[in-house]
Amino acid sequence: MPSPDETSRGELTARLFLAGRELSTAAVMFHTALAQLHGLSATEEKAIDLLQRHGPLTARELGSHSGLAPASVTGLVDRLQRKGYARRVPNPADGRSVLIEATGAPGEALGPDFEHFTNGLNGLCARYTDTELAAIGDFLGEAAALQREATTRLTASQQGGPTVAGPALTREEKLVLQTAAHGVVALMAAADPGAISSARAGMAGGKALSAATGLTGRVLAQKARGMKLDGKSTADIADRVFEALTSSLALLGDKAPEEVDNFRSVIRVAVDAALNTRKGRSPAMTAMAAKISEALDGA
């Protein structure tokens, strides 16, 4: 086999796409066989995987992670509940909604069937350097995001909804939106004076972001590679986050004007979710929320 330096980019891309198709086929066959072994469909088995990896999710969040339409998610959860692999439970952060969580059975039933495969993957990873693994992980993560978008377009078409996925954003542009959204949650958590309540505020805000829909939701569902929210003080982080907020709204105004209101709404919902984790709102958190609202209105 020729070295990468001796192979044209077109040949490398064609080889990569072929390997991706082979991996996709192998994955579908494996998960179909695994699902059938336990009386599940492939979609049901992967939904269980999502619940195990992300923890309890709302129906909207499960739809966002899977790319399935709301009606499809409802039927999916009904089937999983009947088969004893998932259940609906009250949402402690919002008494008006419920969460879907995996029961203890899936991990016990499905876990052993992955052991041989994961051991093989660990051996495969040992053949590559850290730099190579980082590049492979980056590619697979971006490819998965594109696959979810494709799924959303297909399910929207089946439900009679729009099939346009929206404008393509560069990685740098996505990072601006991610820094703004996740930075807002970090600021709200940092403003909470208590360590435990601060963690709760961060988790609630993060959950709110994961429920976002549209272009904003698709961007926030992707891994934020290169996001830097560290600083010597909260003020340092705030400067970076408020700049990202302004840039995000300008970016969306230019590339996706119809998404501007959605982005503002997502940020406000995340702020409210963080605030509502405390029975008595702290002055510092209330002040930070006001600053964020002012930044959204002024951009």
Side-chain angles (χ1 to χ4, degrees):
M1 178 180 296
S3 68
D5 292 337
E6 299 171 339
T7 307
S8 70
R9 185 172 183 84
E11 291 174 318
L12 286 172
T13 301
R15 187 184 302 165
L16 182 63
F17 283 4
L18 177 58
R21 292 177 67 180
E22 292 176 346
L23 176 61
S24 175
T25 300
V28 169
M29 296 301 181
F30 173 81
H31 286 287
T32 299
L34 177 63
Q36 290 178 345
L37 185 64
H38 295 277
L40 299 165
S41 69
T43 300
E44 292 165 352
E45 186 263 326
K46 293 308 295 180
I48 293 171
D49 175 59
L50 287 171
L51 294 173
Q52 289 179 315
R53 285 192 286 122
H54 296 285
L57 299 171
T58 65
R60 178 180 293 181
E61 290 168 345
L62 184 55
S64 176
H65 285 297
S66 64
L68 295 174
S72 299
V73 171
T74 300
L76 171 64
V77 175
D78 287 343
R79 295 194 302 274
L80 289 177
Q81 190 162 7
R82 285 197 303 269
K83 295 177 181 181
Y85 285 95
R87 60 190 167 215
R88 292 178 171 92
V89 296
N91 186 348
D94 184 357
R96 298 168 298 177
S97 67
V98 298
L99 295 174
I100 300 102
E101 67 175 12
T103 63
E108 299 170 5
L110 305 182
D113 296 313
F114 280 97
E115 186 174 354
H116 178 75
F117 177 54
T118 54
N119 286 341
L121 285 179
N122 288 330
L124 181 61
C125 288
R127 293 166 45 183
Y128 298 89
T129 67
D130 290 350
T131 301
E132 290 170 335
L133 286 177
I136 294 169
D138 179 72
F139 177 84
L140 291 176
E142 294 294 328
L146 291 173
Q147 190 84 76
R148 283 193 295 271
E149 288 184 4
T151 303
T152 299
R153 292 178 73 249
L154 289 174
T155 55
S157 176
Q158 293 169 0
Q159 296 296 321
T163 60
V164 179
L169 300 181
T170 66
R171 182 183 302 177
E172 290 73 20
E173 290 170 337
K174 292 177 182 179
L175 187 59
V176 172
L177 270 63
Q178 292 165 340
T179 299
H182 292 291
V184 161
V185 172
L187 287 177
M188 291 300 297
D192 193 298
I196 296 178
S197 54
S198 174
R200 288 175 179 166
M203 291 177 62
K207 277 281 190 180
L209 294 183
S210 69
T213 59
L215 174 64
T216 297
R218 291 193 292 273
V219 170
L220 297 184
Q222 299 175 28
K223 187 175 181 179
R225 296 176 178 83
M227 185 172 62
K228 297 179 180 179
L229 289 175
D230 53 343
K232 295 182 179 179
S233 66
T234 302
D236 292 336
I237 301 175
D239 289 341
R240 192 174 299 123
V241 172
F242 288 137
E243 179 182 358
L245 275 175
T246 301
S247 298
S248 294
L249 290 168
L251 169 65
L252 292 173
D254 179 49
K255 286 201 166 186
E258 71 284 354
E259 192 68 20
V260 172
D261 287 342
N262 182 36
F263 180 80
R264 282 196 174 101
S265 176
V266 167
I267 299 299
R268 295 188 196 281
V269 168
V271 169
D272 288 343
L275 278 173
N276 290 334
T277 56
R278 291 180 62 93
K279 292 183 178 180
R281 297 185 176 184
S282 73
M285 290 184 74
T286 302
M288 182 61 74
K291 291 178 181 178
I292 293 170
S293 180
E294 182 180 351
L296 288 173
D297 292 337

